[in-house]
Amino acid sequence: MPPTEDRRVRRTRNELHRALIELLTEKGYDRVSVRDILDRADVGRSTFYHHFRDKDDLLVVSCTEYVQRAVEERARGRQTPWGPVRTVFDLCEQHPRLYEALAGRRSDAVLVRATTHMVHEVLAGHLREQRDAEETECDPAVRFLAWGIVGLFGPVAAGELTAAQAFATFEAAARPWRLSDPRPVRPEGPAAVPLTPTAAVPLTPTAAVPLTSTAAPSPIRGSGSSLPAGPRSAAAPGSPAAAPPAAPGS
């Protein structure tokens, strides 16, 4: 693509993104139509559908592109393992109305899923670069972490947490995941729960609870059960149990 055309494409996509964000914060996502976006951005319908399928696609793709650019710009002066996460919390703190609409307490499921997808894409790309891993290796951990990050957007946008406090909360939750290996770290030591059948603790005879003769159930006569009858307990003299069984016909 020639440089002039590339700049034109970026400018068009940026205008559509700006129009969507402005309208979203003004009147809510559900009330925004594609026509509203086109009028605000001064872009033709055919141009819009050349770049995006619908307004949901515009929301996900354009927001992801915007955050990725912000992460790249701020990464130049911030060399930390979880730099992208701190960047998205900073953006949330700087644009509270937008992030309140995207992932606040009143946000609908479409917006929350789109925001989570945006964070997932940014975080997955960062982790793949850190350890040169395939996407499938990082995906389970990244999905877990992305939902946790989005869950903190609401408190940050509402002013209940600062970006620094939200980032500290994230770091504490993400500690079981090392950047060298995004799979969760299994607990170590004798208190760890065995994860394989061979590691199960055997039940030794001394550890089993003994069944005393007084606790054994009476054998069921005539039921066809193959269980042997338990030993009879000695009965006290004079008790009904000590009397011999009556002879037939007596």
Side-chain angles (χ1 to χ4, degrees):
M1 182 181 294
T4 303
E5 185 177 353
D6 187 49
R7 286 196 298 270
R8 189 183 303 117
V9 168
R10 287 201 305 268
R11 183 167 59 251
T12 299
R13 294 171 76 92
N14 289 341
E15 286 299 317
L16 290 169
H17 171 74
R18 180 188 58 80
L20 173 63
I21 296 306
E22 289 177 357
L23 292 166
L24 187 154
T25 54
E26 288 174 11
K27 59 182 185 178
Y29 185 74
D30 288 342
R31 300 176 62 186
V32 176
S33 66
V34 172
R35 170 50 57 190
D36 294 333
I37 298 170
L38 299 180
D39 292 343
R40 179 68 63 94
D42 193 21
V43 172
R45 181 175 292 272
S46 61
T47 302
F48 175 87
Y49 286 109
H50 176 72
H51 293 280
F52 305 103
R53 294 190 304 271
D54 48 32
K55 72 171 187 176
D56 293 345
D57 190 42
L58 169 63
L59 174 69
V60 173
V61 175
S62 67
C63 285
T64 302
E65 291 175 346
Y66 174 81
V67 173
Q68 285 173 336
R69 287 195 300 270
V71 167
E72 291 171 1
E73 291 172 1
R74 302 187 185 204
R76 298 166 189 163
R78 175 183 291 163
Q79 298 298 329
T80 59
W82 296 110
V85 180
R86 180 56 194 267
T87 296
V88 296
F89 283 134
D90 287 343
L91 291 172
C92 180
E93 190 172 53
Q94 294 163 11
H95 306 284
R97 286 186 61 199
L98 170 60
Y99 281 81
E100 179 68 27
L102 290 174
R105 294 179 175 87
R106 298 183 180 180
S107 301
D108 62 23
V110 173
L111 287 175
V112 174
R113 285 197 300 267
T115 306
T116 305
H117 179 80
M118 171 191 73
V119 174
H120 174 275
E121 290 300 300
V122 172
L123 195 56
H126 176 68
L127 285 176
R128 286 196 297 269
E129 291 176 2
Q130 288 286 324
R131 66 185 304 271
D132 192 25
E134 296 294 332
E135 182 176 357
T136 53
E137 294 183 76
C138 301
D139 192 67
V142 173
R143 287 191 182 279
F144 173 84
L145 297 175
W147 279 103
I149 293 167
V150 173
L152 292 172
F153 282 168
V156 173
E160 299 169 3
L161 290 175
T162 65
Q165 290 171 332
F167 182 63
T169 302
F170 165 81
E171 280 192 310
R175 192 168 294 127
W177 279 267
R178 302 190 183 104
L179 282 181
S180 59
D181 187 351
R183 294 170 298 181
V185 178
R186 294 178 178 178
E188 299 176 354
V193 178
L195 299 178
T196 60
T198 55
V201 179
L203 290 177
T204 61
T206 56
V209 178
L211 294 176
T212 62
S213 58
T214 56
S218 300
I220 302 175
R221 301 298 183 183
S223 63
S225 172
S226 60
L227 295 176
R232 292 177 178 270
S233 59
S239 65
S250 60

